[in-house]
Amino acid sequence: MYELQDLKIPVETTDYFECSKFVTQSIEVIISDAIAAGNNKIVINTNLKLGLPMENINKVAGPFIEAWAVETFHAVLEDPDNRYALINVEAVQRLHMADVVLQFRKQRKIESGVTAEVDVKATAEDIKSSGKSPNITSFARIRTAYVEDPDYIFVILSLKHRVYSSRNRDSGLMDGTMEVVAHNAYDLKYIGPKDINYNPALGTGQIQIRDIHYVKLEERTTWEFCQLLDRKYLQSSRRSFEEWLDLAIRNGWIKTDD
């Protein structure tokens, strides 16, 4: 029944792979250089005499790490010696699929730049299961994004951190420090099929990464990725073809006569 549908087939530009590689490598170099320069610490001052609650710190670390990443990109943008070709940084609203939108200067046949949406995921170095299998975004939203823009680049930036406390000599209280220690950047479109999970809970379901620390990449077209997402949805025991068809019609994945 799926094969009988007259689906819209998104076709990316011929330099998509080159642009994706350029963006992910640029992001990784920016983060790597920030860590090497010692600009990877977030100091949290509290009036807690015993310091931050380490057993639950992973529950609050995410927003701090996301904010650090956005500020790191802004620092590059404001640097007059910017050598990363980063030309625009835009933090987005909370309910957006990504945390920040980055634009890089890159000479192409029809454009002079490339844009990527970046989803920042924080994982704790010393908590084995922390952030291991994060929700990325809803099935319907990401599937629609690739139909509307076949050149859509959605990067997952995984930032591993550790947290420790030290006593402030002036106040006598404990200062908490979150330190970004490792990173990886992946184009969602190229993540291997075994590393992408579909969780039917919440709305149209969530796309997840099976283990964000160990990801295999596989080059594919935008259309092949859309088909992969569809298979993940349809293989779920809690979803039916009729539900998929309703989503496809409502979100414009199928050609119509209108």
Side-chain angles (χ1 to χ4, degrees), residues 144-215:
T144 302
Y146 283 102
V147 173
E148 294 178 346
D149 180 9
D151 289 320
Y152 184 55
I153 299 178
F154 188 84
V155 175
I156 300 167
L157 175 58
S158 172
L159 297 176
K160 187 179 288 188
H161 64 276
R162 59 170 171 254
V163 183
Y164 54 90
S165 295
S166 58
R167 192 166 299 280
N168 187 305
R169 293 183 179 180
D170 296 328
S171 67
L173 299 174
M174 298 293 284
D175 288 341
T177 301
M178 292 182 182
E179 184 176 20
V180 178
V181 296
H183 61 89
N184 286 106
Y186 313 108
D187 185 336
L188 176 65
K189 176 177 158 180
Y190 291 148
I191 291 179
K194 292 182 179 179
D195 293 317
I196 294 179
N197 286 339
Y198 171 76
N199 181 352
L202 300 175
T204 63
Q206 288 284 315
I207 299 301
Q208 294 179 323
I209 303 301
R210 184 170 59 88
D211 186 342
I212 200 168
H213 302 305
Y214 301 97
V215 172

Side-chain angles (χ1 to χ4, degrees), residues 22 112 121:
F22 172 76
S112 59
K121 297 300 181 186

